[in-house]
């Protein structure tokens, strides 16, 4: 993890400034690439008290101040009544920063504890309940977008979880329609690395609320996939970024999904493929393998 702990204050400030700029640039790129925020939007920023959501709010506030189009931000925290939840931390932080906010109190914790059998992970039901509450609140607040703090590494971990365990080529989109069809959910941190968010949170001294209050065991498969990605990145720098790029450069004609490409109706056209187009034998044309074998 990149940590900003240079002994010289000026050097530390320089590094933090560089990191803040990168964060804003990457959030700005995601907003532009997916048209995440438009003029007149009222964006509900979901704030859990974790490093990612603090980073998200911080970047959106900075961009809002310079954005060529006006949009509103309202921070929302769902107090799920987990034992020991420090309920004053977020209101104090948000008030000090002058951010409009709304705290929703709903005891999903007891529901999850009551319904999920002992020893089973709580996260599935907990997230579904939380999502439902957030959609309701978005409607009540007149929010036109719901912003979540998922970052690049969440997207990639989801991609591999679906690949390994779900048999699906599917990640987490940067923009999607909510399950109830009434809201647009956005992920402005889609291009941001998790270790950048961790370093930024530490350097900015965000008052982090630990996510272990619920006592749920962490999602083991997600942890294993996360460790796999970190190990790849260590051994083959650039690999993780390449996988992310691949998610935005999909060739249905070179996969096996007949619902995305009309393989059945494929006929000779008599025309050569355009420059840079698909090639039947392109695996032989790549030359050096992209990555050395593990
Ligand atoms: S870690 Fe706890 S709070 Fe987070 S989704 Fe799982 S059960 Fe819910």
């Amino acid at each position: 993890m990149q940590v900003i702990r240079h002994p010289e204050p000026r050097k530390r400030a320089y590094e933090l400034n560089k990191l803040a700029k990168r964060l804003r640039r990457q959030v700005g790129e995601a907003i532009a690439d997916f048209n995440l925020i438009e003029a007149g939007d009222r964006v509900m920023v979901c704030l859990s008290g974790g490093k990612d959501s603090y980073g998200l709010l911080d970047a959106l506030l900075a961009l809002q101040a310079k954005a060529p189009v006006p949009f509103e931000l309202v921070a929302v925290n769902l107090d799920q009544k987990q034992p020991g939840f420090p309920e004053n931390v977020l209101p104090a932080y948000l008030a000090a920063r002058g951010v409009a906010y709304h705290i929703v109190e709903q005891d999903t914790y007891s529901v999850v504890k009551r319904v999920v059998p002992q020893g089973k992970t709580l996260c599935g039901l907990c997230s579904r309940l939380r999502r439902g509450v957030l959609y309701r609140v978005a409607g009540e607040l007149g929010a036109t977008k719901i912003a979540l703090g998922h970052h690049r590494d969440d997207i990639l971990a989801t991609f591999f979880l679906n690949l390994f365990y779900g048999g699906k080529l599917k990640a987490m989109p940067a923009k999607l329609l909510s399950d109830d069809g009434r809201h647009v959910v956005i992920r402005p941190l889609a291009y941001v690395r998790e270790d950048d968010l961790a370093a930024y949170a530490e350097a900015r001294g965000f008052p982090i609320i630990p996510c272990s209050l619920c006592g749920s065991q962490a999602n083991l498969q997600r942890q294993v996939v996360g460790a796999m990605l970190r190990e790849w990145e260590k051994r083959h720098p650039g690999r993780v970024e390449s996988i992310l790029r691949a998610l935005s450069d999909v060739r249905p004609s070179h996969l096996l999904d007949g619902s995305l490409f009309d393989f059945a109706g494929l006929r000779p056209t008599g025309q050569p493929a355009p420059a840079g187009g698909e090639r039947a034998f392109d695996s032989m044309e790549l030359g050096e393998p992209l990555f050395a074998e593990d």
Side-chain angles (χ1 to χ4, degrees):
M1 176 183 125
Q2 179 202 343
V3 186
I4 300 177
R5 283 190 194 139
H6 200 279
E8 267 184 54
R10 270 185 43 208
K11 186 85 179 139
R12 268 204 312 275
Y14 169 76
E15 285 175 357
L16 173 59
N17 188 37
K18 216 166 77 177
L19 177 57
K21 274 190 183 158
R22 182 161 68 239
L23 200 84
R24 288 199 296 270
R25 176 176 49 77
Q26 290 175 332
V27 170
E29 280 171 8
I31 290 175
D33 287 353
F34 299 98
N35 194 23
L36 297 184
I37 298 178
E38 294 153 279
D41 264 341
R42 185 169 166 80
V43 183
M44 177 174 123
V45 185
C46 299
L47 204 61
S48 64
K51 66 182 190 325
D52 307 333
S53 58
Y54 277 118
L56 170 67
L57 177 66
D58 212 66
L60 290 179
L61 284 168
L63 290 171
Q64 185 191 35
K66 294 188 173 168
V69 295
F71 63 90
E72 277 180 74
L73 295 174
V74 54
V76 167
N77 169 252
L78 172 58
D79 175 355
Q80 299 178 269
K81 297 296 165 196
Q82 294 152 352
F85 182 77
E87 52 191 30
N88 295 326
V89 168
L90 284 168
Y93 173 80
L94 293 165
R97 291 213 56 184
V99 178
Y101 70 91
H102 194 73
I103 306 289
V104 186
E105 296 184 42
Q106 188 144 342
D107 186 359
T108 59
Y109 174 79
S110 311
V111 178
V112 168
K113 277 289 197 194
R114 197 176 61 242
V115 173
V116 178
Q118 191 104 35
K120 297 277 178 203
T121 181
L122 310 175
C123 299
L125 179 61
C126 176
S127 321
R128 277 202 300 283
L129 293 174
R130 184 169 47 218
R131 209 178 307 151
V133 176
L134 290 173
Y135 290 167
R136 172 178 62 74
V137 173
E140 289 167 5
L141 294 177
T144 52
K145 302 274 166 65
I146 302 176
L148 301 179
H150 296 116
H151 46 68
R152 179 199 78 167
D153 300 78
D154 288 324
I155 290 174
L156 293 178
T158 304
F159 174 71
F160 283 105
L161 285 170
N162 280 316
L163 191 66
F164 294 162
Y165 304 104
K168 281 192 171 58
L169 217 54
K170 175 180 157 185
M172 252 179 192
K175 186 180 191 183
L176 79 155
L177 199 59
S178 63
D179 304 332
D180 62 6
R182 296 174 52 220
H183 304 281
V184 174
V185 176
I186 59 173
R187 295 190 169 100
L189 300 181
Y191 296 155
V192 179
R193 301 162 53 127
E194 179 172 20
D195 55 5
D196 273 355
L197 288 163
Y200 189 68
E202 184 177 319
R204 292 290 314 270
F206 293 142
I208 301 291
I209 300 176
C211 65
S212 52
L213 295 171
C214 59
S216 174
Q217 72 272 39
N219 180 332
L220 201 61
Q221 288 168 340
R222 191 168 277 276
Q223 281 192 7
V224 169
V225 169
M228 177 192 82
L229 289 169
R230 281 191 296 278
E231 179 62 21
W232 278 355
E233 190 57 24
K234 208 162 75 191
R235 293 176 59 188
H236 311 283
R239 173 177 288 193
V240 168
E241 212 44 52
S242 172
I243 300 169
L244 190 78
R245 273 204 311 281
L247 292 182
S248 61
D249 191 359
V250 178
R251 314 293 166 99
S253 63
H254 281 50
L255 295 171
L256 302 173
D257 187 341
S259 68
L260 295 180
F261 186 80
D262 182 16
F263 294 103
L266 193 63
R267 302 278 183 273
T269 63
Q271 301 296 320
E278 304 298 349
R279 296 268 189 275
F281 304 108
D282 60 2
S283 62
M284 296 160 66
E285 296 167 9
L286 281 174
E288 287 298 307
L290 210 46
F291 302 113
E293 288 302 309
D294 285 322

